[in-house]
Amino acid sequence: MGILEVTNVNKRFGGLRALHDLNLSVDEGTVHAIIGPNGAGKSTMLNCFVGRLIPDSGSVMFNGASLLGLKPHEINQTGVARVFQTPEIFGDLSLLDNVVIPALAKHDGAFKLNAWQRVTSRLEIREEAEHILEVVGLIEQKATICSSLSRGDKRRLELAMCLIQHPKLLLLDEPTAGMSRADTNNTIDLLKKIGERGITKIIIEHDMHVVFSLATKISVLAQGTIIAQGPPEEIKGDPRVIEAYLGGELG
Amino acid sequence: MLKLGKNDLGVFGFVVAITLLAPFLMNPFPEGSALAQFNAGYPDLMQRFVIFGIFAIGFNILFGLTGYLSFGHAAFLGVGSYAAVWMFKLLTMNIIPAIILAVLISGLFALVIGYVSLRRSGIYFSILTLAFAQMSFSLAYSVLTPITNGETGLQITLNDPRVLDTVNTTGNLPVTGLFGLEMRDTATLEIAGWAFQFNVGFYVSALIMLAAFYLSIRVFRSPFGLMLRAIKTNQNRLNYTGLNSRPYTLAAFVISGMYAGLAGGLMASMDPLAGAERMQWTASGEVVLMTILGGAGTLLGPILGAGFIKYFENIFSKINDNVLHGWFNFMPDFMENVMVTIIHPFVGKGWHLTLGLLFMIIVIFLPGGLVDGGTRLWKRLLTRKQDNSSSVVATTPAK
Ligand SMILES: Nc1ncnc2c1ncn2[C@@H]1O[C@H](COP(=O)(O)OP(=O)(O)OP(=O)(O)O)[C@@H](O)[C@H]1O
Ligand SMILES: [Mg+2]
């Protein structure tokens, strides 16, 4: 039994079958890459995991409990964090605040009217936030308002926001899209570094360099269903995959 | 000090100073001079400055931090006023029970309205709050007449029970007070041509406003305040971060409703009557204007905005044609008439026109409100100074 078990999930948008009897099993502690052409349904799949979309049928079990029917914040509280394809951050706030918020959320649970405690008085949280910003390499800009960050830095900030929560499962939707080669390599190193924390990761990626440097297992998604699955070496040579998605790219 | 950061302490100290010295600051022109028109240092108006200041400070906790624009906050102000007057009728003329009940009842009211309205956001939320407020307004005029006394408004009478007060044998209506101090008591200090007025009601309201302002600074700087800001910037992200935003928005809504109730209770404490017009949508709109004009989401903004609008309402509306003729009578008759005709639409009953134009100018050129304008000016001055002395400039704006 994997930490995440997805069985027969279907999702339609009008006449479009975005997910078609999708089955997926993710083992604890692995980096599971999902690849597939544009419009294959990769982001839709993640949306079904985090409660942004509700599947028409099927089941999504995390750690033995169903995620379906839970609200997004409840799903997060079970230990699932997500980096979005277009960064979702608190644009008007400083980097430090952006990281402090998820830390407080984790710390305080659902709601606390703690008007009498200043943010700065919560030293442990602040220290932890600064530490995480250091890990992702953004500590120098901690006071900057983050809407002015570059796209790559926003992604890294969002990653820091997820990491500070110590999630059990981290969902990454194209974490290096739009990044320069150097930035991409930085992110790969970063993801390898945090791999030591034993967080299970699902990573959606178009960049094969990233996929093959990180993944322990690869699933290929096409037209809403998994068409091939296995360790990286196997996927590289699978003719169905080459036909459906990779084309001559790996040649 | 006071558990405030350096900047916040500065802002708070500034507000304490201008509030406590208001009888002097608002009265810059000697009695009887041509400019005495522009003096605002009389009890009535100064009370209104601080009371509407409270209203706007509370509104800013909701609108400034979470971005939820309520168009019905006057309802809570009205409810607070009714509650306070009922206390004056039933219990005592002491303002403390009245104010406590005003805050509690408006808080309950806000809990109910907020619970329903916050199921929607954006324009739908605004419309829901507006609908609730208009409903309350209409009810106060019709079905609820036994409680609100309909169009006449709720007033105290000689026959009210007032169980805690000694029997009134004077035949005059009792006045509101605080352990022997009467709210309407005013001491006048005459220096040279000036007459400065120190009113009990003003100072009581002012102290309450300062406490309310202090509390709002603490809310702004607390983790709770940070969550409210997070809601304004990206509610989606907050949900995927494990927080349900609804309890936060509801808490902010109730807190700001209680501030409005406090303002309403104080209003009744200065003058013990309450009418439904206090709940009308124009009154709700006014607090929105105050907050935006001063600078939504800033600490000082709502206070400045409230002062600005109340000043215009009371001072500009008093300038009539006679006053204008007085100003321009040094000119030849023909010129005098031309000047009066030009200025006439902007003053007296036309003060709304002036206010509207100013509002447009501020929103277009200073989208962050008066505080933003002030901060920018301050920064420009600082950088100019820096060119000469190369001193270190604080990076955080003095909001
Ligand atoms: N909310 C939605 N409403 C309607 N159609 C949608 C919605 N979300 C996705 N789709 C459609 O579902 C299909 C799958 O979209 P999805 O975003 O999951 O693809 P993807 O694999 O993430 O692609 P990409 O690599 O471009 O990110 C697409 O055809 C898309 O247009
Ligand atoms: Mg996608």
Side-chain angles (χ1 to χ4, degrees), chain A residues 3 16 18 24 27 32 43 55 60 69 83 86 113 134 140 159 169-170 180 186 193 216 220 237 246:
Chain A
I3 189 169
L16 178 81
L24 184 71
D27 293 322
H32 198 129
S43 299
V60 179
V83 173
T86 34
L113 185 66
E134 210 166 318
E140 252 108 75
L159 185 59
L169 176 64
L170 180 58
S180 67
N186 277 339
K193 194 159 67 176
T216 45
V220 185
L246 299 175

Side-chain angles (χ1 to χ4, degrees), chain B residues 143-300:
Chain B
V143 192
L144 294 178
T145 307
I147 302 176
T148 61
N149 202 21
E151 279 180 40
T152 328
L154 192 63
Q155 291 165 340
I156 54 170
T157 65
L158 282 173
N159 304 327
D160 293 331
R162 265 184 289 281
V163 290
L164 291 186
D165 288 356
T166 47
V167 181
N168 180 350
T169 50
T170 56
N172 296 326
L173 277 178
V175 293
T176 50
L178 185 68
F179 307 116
L181 286 171
E182 289 184 1
M183 288 303 123
R184 59 173 188 190
D185 269 356
T186 304
T188 307
L189 173 69
E190 304 227 13
I191 302 176
W194 282 269
F196 302 110
Q197 302 186 52
F198 303 91
N199 170 260
V200 174
F202 165 71
Y203 274 104
V204 169
S205 312
L207 289 179
I208 293 178
M209 186 203 79
L210 291 176
F213 183 53
Y214 174 74
L215 192 69
S216 97
I217 302 182
R218 295 300 300 268
V219 168
F220 264 62
R221 300 299 174 230
S222 69
F224 172 68
L226 186 61
M227 295 308 172
L228 297 184
R229 273 170 219 264
I231 291 172
K232 183 177 182 178
T233 351
N234 192 344
Q235 188 159 1
N236 233 337
R237 181 22 109 186
L238 197 65
N239 288 338
Y240 293 108
T241 300
L243 279 180
N244 183 5
S245 48
R246 191 79 59 76
Y248 286 90
T249 44
L250 185 58
F253 193 88
V254 171
I255 291 172
S256 73
M258 289 166 91
Y259 269 72
L262 175 64
L266 269 175
M267 229 177 255
S269 301
M270 298 303 120
D271 187 8
L273 48 86
E277 75 288 342
R278 262 178 212 174
M279 301 181 154
Q280 219 176 353
W281 67 273
T282 47
S284 297
E286 198 181 50
V287 75
V288 179
L289 288 193
M290 287 172 179
T291 312
I292 294 178
L293 197 73
T298 64
L299 289 171
L300 208 51

Side-chain angles (χ1 to χ4, degrees), chain A residues 76-77 82 88 116-117 158, chain B residues 218 223 233-234 237 240 242:
Chain A
N76 174 277
Q77 282 163 14
R82 174 175 181 185
E88 293 263 5
W116 291 101
Q117 266 170 310
E158 203 181 4
Chain B
R218 295 300 300 268
T233 351
N234 192 344
R237 181 22 109 186
Y240 293 108

Side-chain angles (χ1 to χ4, degrees), chain A residues 70-83:
Chain A
L70 297 184
K71 301 238 171 63
H73 69 271
E74 292 166 331
I75 292 176
N76 174 277
Q77 282 163 14
T78 65
V80 181
R82 174 175 181 185
V83 173

Side-chain angles (χ1 to χ4, degrees), chain B residues 309-352:
Chain B
I309 288 187
K310 285 293 142 189
Y311 184 84
F312 265 85
E313 181 186 285
N314 289 281
I315 303 298
F316 270 65
S317 62
K318 273 195 321 201
I319 300 174
N320 54 25
D321 282 2
N322 284 340
V323 178
L324 289 181
H325 280 290
W327 287 355
F328 296 111
N329 68 5
F330 66 91
M331 292 179 170
D333 267 3
F334 164 71
M335 283 296 286
E336 182 183 327
N337 286 336
V338 171
M339 287 308 285
V340 172
T341 319
I342 292 174
I343 300 183
H344 172 86
F346 295 94
V347 294
K349 290 208 174 79
W351 73 272
H352 277 115

